[in-house]
Amino acid sequence: MRRSRFFLPTLRDNPKEAEIVSHRLMLRAGMVRQASAGIYSWLPMGFRVLKNIERIVREEQDRAGNQEVLMPTIQSAELWQQSGRYNAYGPEMLRIRDRHDREMLYGPTNEELITDIFRNGVKSYRDLPQKLYHIQWKFRDEVRPRFGVMRGREFLMKDAYSFDLDYESARRAYQVQFVTYLRTFARMGLRAIPMEADTGPIGGDLSHEFIILAETGESEVFCDREFLDYDLLGREIDYEDPAAVGEVVDYFTKLYARTDEKHEQAVFETAVPEARRYQGRGIEVGHIFYFGTKYSKPFGARVATPDGQEVEVHSGSYGIGVSRLVGAIIEASHDESGIVWPEAVAPFKVGLINLKAGDADCDKACEGAYGALQGAGVETLYDETEERPGAKFAEMDLIGLPWQLILGPRGLKNGVVELKRRATGEREEISLESALARLTA
């Protein structure tokens, strides 16, 4: 994409309404614009990041054998009345009436609807297990929406739901999602730590939240540093092998990891050697729940067993805040100049900078480099504008693309270009051919 054609309304100064780093940088980098309190329009730069995160989430859900569906944003109040949550959920639920005076709601979650879908489609143990997920916009009417996409009213979520015959098989489904989440966040360049959590309004008796470390995080975190050394992506895990999955879950659940709400200092000091104790802050980006028959009972979601009996299925739900992750990644990965995107979620991999647009040699070399990168499938933002070099450098640092390829008249005369890695600030002068070979490898 050429910078001159790309809609990127950046801001020079920090917006007054932005209280945290991710909100400030998302506004300054032209990623989002507020439509109303807690509701945002996603502009091209932000939408590219959002779609990259969504892609990774989808790939890992598919890899674990989950099937994608799409449920509506508007749900019937009748289903929620049947589960008993309609009145219990609280003022965060946006309740509406349609033109026929039927009570409806903008879904904050989908346990009722997916259970209704399941009970009408599955009647026998032979059709179990079932693992369904969707990625959909949701709405919770926060009393004080703040912090940009980190705590907005409208947000994009991945919700998965498992249905199993009994507790043991439901527990295995829970463990598969546990490992899937660790892989999902690792692929985004994040170190996520699973922590035992309360179930909240979802219900159930088994729950973990996944916290990524960030200095500006909302929760105080206490954990064993051994978490930070585990390379989950370096090993293949067969999801059909309960022992292999259980081994990973056992490793992560035996180590101490708690937020301030559940932290016990005496236990922490006993369980973790002083050299391995980590205390910092973190951001919740995912939450998984096993809730047994909490929803199958009121909905009559039963299946026939091999001996002819009918039993209520055991269920779990598994959420990832897709839009929240955009802000969380920025909170975990930024510096004083702007965003530092992990390559897997970056809106573009390379920022190509022409230091002297209009110079014949510069233009020719840049066009050739741009064509080579595009031809190799490397997403590139090419700044061919006539802005001064300092402004181009500042903007590229602000939007945080992983690599900057800088071409100028002086360097080209000497047969070199400059390649900068945004994460480290490391710069080197190499030939254009070597730079392209590295970027397209």
Side-chain angles (χ1 to χ4, degrees):
M1 174 63 67
R2 296 176 185 273
R3 177 64 185 89
S4 62
R5 299 176 187 170
F6 191 58
F7 183 60
L8 184 61
T10 57
L11 303 175
R12 179 175 298 178
D13 300 317
N14 286 324
K16 294 180 180 179
E17 71 272 20
E19 301 178 52
I20 61 172
V21 170
S22 60
H23 193 191
R24 289 197 295 269
L25 290 176
M26 288 183 74
L27 291 172
R28 287 194 57 211
M31 296 177 64
V32 294
R33 286 295 182 266
Q34 182 170 300
S36 61
I39 301 175
Y40 292 86
S41 296
W42 290 78
L43 307 187
M45 184 68 78
F47 192 60
R48 292 175 74 92
V49 177
L50 188 70
K51 298 304 286 186
N52 283 337
I53 292 172
E54 183 181 332
R55 171 182 51 79
I56 292 172
V57 170
R58 179 175 283 110
E59 288 173 356
E60 289 301 316
Q61 288 294 302
D62 292 347
R63 184 176 183 272
N66 302 315
Q67 302 173 73
E68 188 170 9
V69 299
L70 184 62
M71 290 175 278
T73 58
I74 303 298
Q75 301 179 31
S76 167
E78 183 180 347
L79 290 174
W80 285 68
Q81 290 162 348
Q82 189 170 347
S83 72
R85 285 207 301 172
Y86 186 63
N87 294 320
Y89 200 90
E92 290 78 22
M93 180 187 289
L94 181 62
R95 295 165 171 84
I96 56 179
R97 290 181 180 272
D98 67 13
R99 68 193 300 165
H100 301 291
D101 204 35
R102 289 178 296 222
E103 291 182 286
M104 311 290 284
L105 59 98
Y106 194 132
T109 184
N110 285 76
E111 282 77 16
E112 284 82 0
L113 186 52
I114 195 69
T115 304
D116 182 57
I117 291 170
F118 174 86
R119 71 172 171 178
N120 290 314
V122 175
K123 301 299 180 184
S124 169
Y125 73 93
R126 294 186 180 87
D127 297 320
L128 295 179
Q130 289 293 335
K131 298 182 292 183
L132 307 171
Y133 78 97
H134 79 154
I135 300 174
Q136 180 62 289
W137 291 96
K138 299 186 180 299
F139 189 92
R140 291 176 190 160
D141 200 4
E142 295 279 352
V143 64
R144 189 186 173 197
R146 54 199 300 227
F147 305 150
V149 301
M150 293 287 288
R151 187 170 293 177
R153 294 195 294 165
E154 185 183 58
F155 50 93
L156 187 63
M157 284 283 294
K158 185 282 299 180
D159 296 299
Y161 301 92
S162 61
F163 298 92
D164 290 276
L165 188 62
D166 52 32
Y167 171 76
E168 283 304 318
S169 53
R171 184 171 174 269
R172 287 195 293 271
Y174 183 95
Q175 291 189 333
V176 168
Q177 282 288 0
F178 188 106
V179 177
T180 298
Y181 273 41
L182 292 173
R183 279 188 52 88
T184 298
F185 298 128
R187 284 189 56 191
M188 297 177 194
L190 300 170
R191 181 68 65 182
I193 301 174
M195 301 192 180
E196 187 177 336
D198 293 324
T199 56
I202 301 295
D205 56 9
L206 180 60
S207 174
H208 285 86
E209 59 185 0
F210 290 77
I211 303 284
I212 63 169
L213 302 180
E215 292 180 4
T216 52
E218 62 206 339
S219 302
E220 193 168 9
V221 172
F222 303 83
C223 71
D224 192 321
R225 289 183 182 273
E226 193 174 328
F227 275 113
L228 310 180
D229 300 325
Y230 191 94
D231 179 18
L232 189 70
L233 298 180
R235 57 179 294 180
E236 282 294 323
I237 299 172
D238 181 3
Y239 287 130
E240 299 298 323
D241 183 352
V245 173
E247 179 185 338
V248 176
V249 175
D250 289 345
Y251 174 84
F252 278 92
T253 53
K254 75 179 181 182
L255 298 175
Y256 189 97
R258 298 182 186 177
T259 62
D260 48 351
E261 294 178 349
K262 289 182 170 286
H263 173 63
E264 297 178 63
Q265 187 64 26
V267 177
F268 186 44
E269 293 176 359
T270 302
V272 185
E274 185 174 359
R276 294 210 322 249
R277 292 176 201 153
Y278 175 87
Q279 180 177 349
R281 303 200 69 80
I283 300 169
E284 180 190 341
V285 290
H287 208 150
I288 62 177
F289 307 83
Y290 160 75
F291 41 70
T293 59
K294 175 180 172 64
Y295 296 95
S296 59
K297 277 186 177 180
F299 281 92
R302 302 183 184 91
V303 295
T305 63
D307 60 6
Q309 301 296 313
E310 279 198 348
V311 298
E312 290 142 354
V313 295
H314 289 244
S315 303
S317 70
Y318 317 90
I320 288 179
V322 177
S323 54
R324 180 180 173 85
L325 267 166
V326 180
I329 291 171
I330 294 172
E331 293 289 334
S333 186
H334 68 273
D335 59 22
E336 61 184 14
S337 298
I339 303 166
V340 182
W341 289 117
E343 194 165 308
V345 300
F348 299 92
K349 178 179 178 178
V350 178
L352 173 61
I353 302 175
N354 184 340
L355 288 181
K356 194 171 183 180
D359 178 272
D361 291 336
C362 252
D363 290 349
K364 181 179 179 181
C366 284
E367 289 293 338
Y370 183 53
L373 291 167
Q374 293 286 87
V378 177
E379 294 191 315
T380 304
L381 181 62
Y382 171 29
D383 191 340
E384 85 296 22
T385 67
E386 295 182 358
E387 278 281 357
R388 55 186 177 81
K392 294 185 177 187
F393 294 147
E395 183 175 87
M396 283 295 180
D397 281 349
L398 172 64
I399 64 177
L401 307 186
W403 295 95
Q404 296 175 21
L405 180 57
I406 305 161
L407 280 66
R410 185 180 304 173
L412 289 172
K413 285 182 180 179
N414 296 324
V416 295
V417 298
E418 188 173 20
L419 187 63
K420 175 183 175 180
R421 186 173 183 180
R422 178 68 180 89
T424 63
E426 177 187 1
R427 298 169 178 263
E428 59 180 315
E429 289 189 339
I430 56 178
S431 69
L432 179 56
E433 291 75 16
S434 297
L436 292 174
R438 185 178 303 180
L439 294 172
T440 57

